Amino acid sequence: MHFSPSSSANIVTNFMGTAFLLALLGGFLADAFLTTYYIYLISASIEFMGLLVLTIQARVTSLKPPACFSASTRISCEQVDGRKAVVLFAGLYLVALGVGGIKGSLPPHGAEQFDEKTLQGRKQRSAFFNYYVFCLSCGALIAVTLVVWVEDNKGWQWGFGVSTATILLSIPIFLVGSPVYRTKVPIGSPITTIFKVLAAAAYNTYRFRNSSNSAIGMDTSRTSDTTETRDQGEGGNTKRMELCHTPAESIRFLNRAVKNKTANPMLECTAEQVEEVKIVLRILPIFVSTIMLNCCLAQLSTFSVQQASTMNTDLGSLKVPPASLPVFPVIFIMVLAPIYNHAIIPFARRVTKSEMGITHLQRIGTGLALSVVAMAVAALVETKRKRVAADSGLVNSTEPLPITFLWIALQYLFLGSADVFTLAGMMEFFFTEAPKSMRSLATSLSWASLAMGYYLSSVLVSLINTITSRYGDTPWLFGSNLNKYHLERFYWLMCVLSGLNMLHYLFWANRYKYSSTRKSLSQPSS
């Protein structure tokens, strides 16, 4: 569509960010109103419509910008605008809405099929998250090889056509399992619970400070014993232990949401609801710590592809399209995921004598550390690429540089490794730690982290261009000629920010107590 490299990068990151952020909407609707089953079906249909729009635009000449065959990087082609741009972005964001709903519903729907009350069920659920990431990589492998080849050799309309047919085919495949699916029944809006507890705590704090006669129950244990005994049999005893496992000094402000006497019926909260909100607040720092990693991953879809497009992409007699470059991390993920599930985890379980072997937080932390290394490698590779361009006199040329694109594959391998450690770890961590009433929404935090990372990438590009334009001749990341960018400085900045983020993560991860640990501490010793 003839956008500049930096504009294209921002369009991609905004699109991807929106798609992943909408996973929160899918998770919310699944928890509050519809089941994960119906959210998937609705979302797949929406994505199909979006891909159909993009296929039609790629097929109809009047919906595309004029052809441009400029041989110089100094001449800009006419980019798409007007109704053509409207069609483009309508298709893109219909796809984003559909992708978001699928991301927010499919992982929790799969995890719900396993019995978490048994050791075997929990192990199978952990394997499910690993193989979910594996299957995502299988789809990505087809996308960056077969679909890219079809787009480059047969036309964009055929590439989009393959994607359109695939999402349409997924619907009947999903429906085949309908008779045997286990589906969690929605029990109300988790967002409402969170805001109600926060509002009740703030309201009661205000009343307590402004009225000497206000009595606010600060110890939730007594309230939970009286409120939650309506549960029958062993289920009631289990619930009381779950509610009492949080010490009063932990996020104790929220304890004020539970009162002995109700002044405002709309703000009535149970001890269970308070404990659920506390759990959500505890996992938020971990969520925030993963955003920077996903900002680094955003470069796989943007500047890294553009770097490869300036390099020699010949691999023997095969000419590799730059858009196929993500095949390297995809293949690595497909190899590593089964090895991790069938070799690394069993070995770690034998060594640590624990059910998880490698904890969720250790797995996420490994991914964060790899992202720091990946950004340092990316900066060094870009420095080498620009040096080759200068030495060859090809700074202002569109000819491929005499340097193989396999150098770019190094940063892809490190970031791909970071992704396989972090994404499955995040999904399992958020699903297992979150209250049952919020699991779809909590699992969607994994995708929301990706969204925030893509948005942060766009913000950083715009912010860096604004700042550097004031203190230099040209911005670091501006124009249509990538050889004149200071992309290596951008990567070094990402490396430093990732290092600082790693320290931030270690602070919160070391303080975090898993729900199983908190429950065991709350149980009375025999």
Side-chain angles (χ1 to χ4, degrees), residues 85 98 373 472 485:
V373 178
Y485 279 35

Side-chain angles (χ1 to χ4, degrees), residues 63-362:
L63 294 177
K64 294 183 287 186
C68 179
F69 303 100
S70 173
S72 173
T73 58
R74 296 178 178 178
I75 300 176
S76 298
C77 299
E78 181 183 342
Q79 70 183 37
V80 68
D81 59 6
R83 69 183 183 92
K84 301 174 185 177
V86 170
V87 173
L88 170 66
F89 288 104
L92 283 176
Y93 284 94
L94 276 173
V95 172
L97 180 60
V99 167
I102 292 174
K103 300 289 189 189
S105 60
L106 200 55
H109 180 78
E112 286 164 2
Q113 309 309 310
F114 305 99
D115 186 1
E116 66 178 350
K117 295 180 181 179
T118 66
L119 176 62
Q120 183 65 17
R122 291 192 295 271
K123 287 183 176 180
Q124 289 174 339
R125 185 178 63 191
S126 180
F128 163 77
F129 283 113
N130 284 327
Y131 277 102
Y132 180 80
V133 174
F134 174 82
C135 289
L136 287 179
S137 299
C138 290
L141 180 64
I142 297 172
V144 300
T145 53
L146 174 63
V147 176
V148 169
W149 182 88
V150 169
E151 288 172 348
D152 284 352
N153 294 275
K154 303 298 181 181
W156 278 88
Q157 68 272 25
W158 291 106
F160 280 126
V162 171
S163 302
T164 305
T166 302
I167 191 65
L168 182 62
L169 182 62
S170 75
I171 297 175
I173 291 176
F174 179 80
L175 289 172
V176 168
S178 298
V180 296
Y181 287 146
R182 298 170 57 183
T183 305
K184 185 189 74 175
V185 178
I187 56 175
S189 170
I191 299 292
T192 301
T193 300
I194 293 172
F195 281 111
K196 184 171 75 170
V197 170
L198 294 174
Y203 176 75
N204 291 339
T205 300
Y206 175 79
R207 289 186 67 245
F208 180 73
R209 290 177 178 174
N210 290 274
S211 175
S212 59
N213 297 324
S214 297
I216 300 178
M218 298 296 294
D219 184 359
T220 63
S221 59
R222 183 168 63 86
T223 308
S224 64
D225 285 339
T226 58
T227 303
E228 304 302 332
T229 49
R230 64 180 180 272
D231 293 335
Q232 299 176 357
E234 293 182 0
N237 294 331
T238 301
K239 180 164 285 188
R240 281 200 299 273
M241 284 191 292
E242 289 180 355
L243 296 180
C244 298
H245 64 66
T246 303
E249 64 271 12
S250 177
I251 321 181
R252 56 185 178 182
F253 163 76
L254 295 183
N255 293 339
R256 300 177 183 180
V258 181
K259 305 191 306 175
N260 294 330
K261 294 182 180 181
T262 303
N264 190 336
M266 294 182 62
L267 296 179
E268 280 189 1
C269 299
T270 65
E272 179 186 10
Q273 290 173 326
V274 172
E275 295 302 322
E276 288 178 348
V277 174
K278 285 184 179 182
I279 292 171
V280 172
L281 293 182
R282 283 194 201 95
I283 65 179
L284 284 181
I286 304 299
F287 161 74
V288 172
S289 300
T290 61
I291 293 175
M292 192 62 215
L293 163 67
N294 291 308
C295 182
C296 297
L297 288 173
Q299 310 317 311
L300 295 180
S301 314
T302 55
F303 287 122
S304 294
V305 173
Q306 293 169 2
Q307 286 174 278
S309 67
T310 68
M311 304 167 77
N312 179 9
T313 58
D314 291 336
L315 199 60
S317 59
L318 177 67
K319 188 172 184 64
V320 180
S324 292
L325 204 62
V327 71
F328 292 103
V330 163
I331 292 175
F332 192 75
I333 290 172
M334 293 177 65
V335 172
L336 184 59
I339 292 175
Y340 181 87
N341 193 70
H342 296 288
I344 298 176
I345 285 296
F347 175 76
R349 284 171 177 157
R350 288 194 296 269
V351 172
T352 62
K353 307 297 182 183
S354 65
E355 180 181 318
M356 287 190 288
I358 298 175
T359 68
H360 307 141
L361 294 179
Q362 288 171 343

Side-chain angles (χ1 to χ4, degrees), residues 484-498:
K484 293 187 176 181
Y485 279 35
H486 292 292
L487 192 57
E488 74 285 355
R489 299 178 187 176
F490 175 66
Y491 284 152
W492 280 122
L493 176 63
M494 297 278 283
C495 180
V496 172
L497 292 176
S498 297

